Amino acid sequence: MFSKPKGTRDILPDEMEERRAAEKIIRECFESFGYREVQTPIFEHSELITEKSGEDIVEHLYAFEDKSRRRLALRPELSAPTIRLYANELITKPKPARLYYIENCFRYENPQSGRYREFWQAGIELIGTASPLAEAEVIYLAFSTLKKLGLKNFELSIGNVGIVRNYLKLLSLADEKIKAILHILDKKELGKLGTIGIEQGAKEKIIELANIKGKREEAIKKITQLISNIAKAKAGKNGIFEEIRPFEETLKLAEMLGVDDYVVDFGVVRGLDYYSGTVFEIYSRALDAQKQICGGGSYSLVKLIGNRDEPSCGFAFGFDRVMLALEREGKRFNNKKIPFILVIPRKKEVLHKAIEAAAKIRKQVSCELELSGKTLEKALKYANARKIPYTVIVDEKEIVIRNMATGEQKSKDVSKAEEVLDGIER
Ligand code: AMP
C-alpha cells in the first residue's frame, strides 16, 4: 500500500463537489468585475520565485533540476507567475489588465490544520493601476466574494506598508533593519524587536505604530499625530507623509463600494518586499492557528519582472482555508445528488431497453446503469447503501420508478422512459 505524500490531501467526491460549487461562485464574482482567467505552468524557473516571492516563501520551495540542468521550482504562489505572464504576453495590451486564477501551489512547510504542502489559491491581479479607486475595488472584491460565499465570521484588516516604511525611515533605521522589522511585524512577533539591535526608543515607537488599530477616522488621526510628533522632535517642524491622503481615500472609496466592516491596522504589512502601498488581510474567526484566509495589496512587481513600472494590486484567497472556515460555519453548497437514478435491467434480455432508458434519463438527471448483473434485490440494496434517491427498474414492457426513501413506485410503458421523472422533485 502506498500512502499520499506528507502535507497533501486526497479529495473525495462529496468534498470535491463542495469545492467546485464554491469555485463557481468565486469565478462568477471575479468575472462580474471583468477579471478573466489565466493559467500558468505548475513549475517556473527557480529564479523567478527566489527573486520575486520573498525570503519566507523561498525557504519553503520545492526546487529541482531537470535533465538539462535547468533550475526549476514548483510555484509557491501565483502573483509572480501571473505578472511574468503579463510581462511576457500582455504588456503592450490596453491597461489595466484584470486577471484571475484558481490553482494549486506548493510549499515545503510543516503541515497542520489549514497548512498543507499542496494547497489552492484563488486570486486576482489588477495590473496597470493602483489608484485609490483600484485599491478600493480590489478590497471590495475580496470582501464581497467572501460574503457571496456565505462566510459570516471574518475580519478584514487594512494597513499601508508605504506609510510604515516611511515611518521606520523617519526613525532613522537602516534598510536592512527595516526589512527585519517588517518581517517581525508580518509574523506578529513583536517580542523579537529586542533581538535585532535597535534602540529602546525606536522599539517603543514601532510598537506604538503596530498597535494602531481601529476605525478609519481614529486610526488616521493617531498615525498623523504619531508622525508629526516624531518629525517635530527631530526637525522641529510638522511632518506628514504624502501617502496618508490617498490611503484615506482608498478607505473612503472602499466604504462607498460597500466594505462596511473592517479595521485599519498599521500592524498589517505583508511579508513580501514588493508590496508598496495599501495592504490587507482577512482572518476567519472559525479557524484556529492558520486563520488568515486572504492576503493582498498594492505592489510594484511588474517593474521587477518586466523592466517597466506598472503599479498593480491584487489578492489571493487560501481556498482550502476558506472551505474549512465555511464548513466550520455549517455552510453547505451542494445538495445535488449524483447519481440521482440507478437503472436496473430486470433480466439480461432487457439490457438494451435499460441502456435506452438510461440514455433518455441522462438528458434530465445523472443516472448510473447497473452493470454487473446483480439481482433486483441486490441492486436495490446497493442503491440504498449508496443513498441513490431513485431506482428505475426496466422490464420487457414496463418501466418502474421507485422512491428509495418511501418505497413508493409508479410505472410507465417502457417506450416512455423520458416520462418516468415527471412530477419528481430533483
Ligand atoms: P501568501 O501567498 O503567503 O500571502 O498566501 C495567501 C493565502 O494562501 C494565505 O492567506 C493563506 O490563506 C493561503 N496559504 C498560504 N500558505 C498556505 C499553506 N501552506 N496551506 C494552505 N493555505 C496556505
Side-chain angles (χ1 to χ4, degrees), residues 33-36 38 82-83 85-87 89-100 124-131 133-135 137-138 299 302 308-314:
F33 275 76
Y35 288 82
R36 300 182 69 203
V38 288
T82 305
I83 298 301
L85 169 149
Y86 173 83
E89 309 288 344
L90 301 172
I91 204 153
T92 57
K93 297 278 189 306
K95 277 171 250 319
R98 285 179 161 87
L99 305 176
Y100 84 85
I124 62 118
E125 310 295 342
L126 171 54
I127 309 163
T129 173
S131 65
L133 184 55
E135 291 184 339
E137 190 188 278
V138 166
Y299 57 83
V302 182
R308 197 155 134 173
D309 195 12
E310 286 192 26
S312 309
C313 43

Side-chain angles (χ1 to χ4, degrees), residues 107 109 114-116 119 121 270 292-295 316 318 321:
R107 294 185 196 172
E109 293 189 283
R115 179 189 275 169
Y116 314 103
F119 62 98
Q121 286 192 344
R270 309 285 300 137
Q292 196 201 112
I293 53 173
C294 177
R321 290 185 193 172

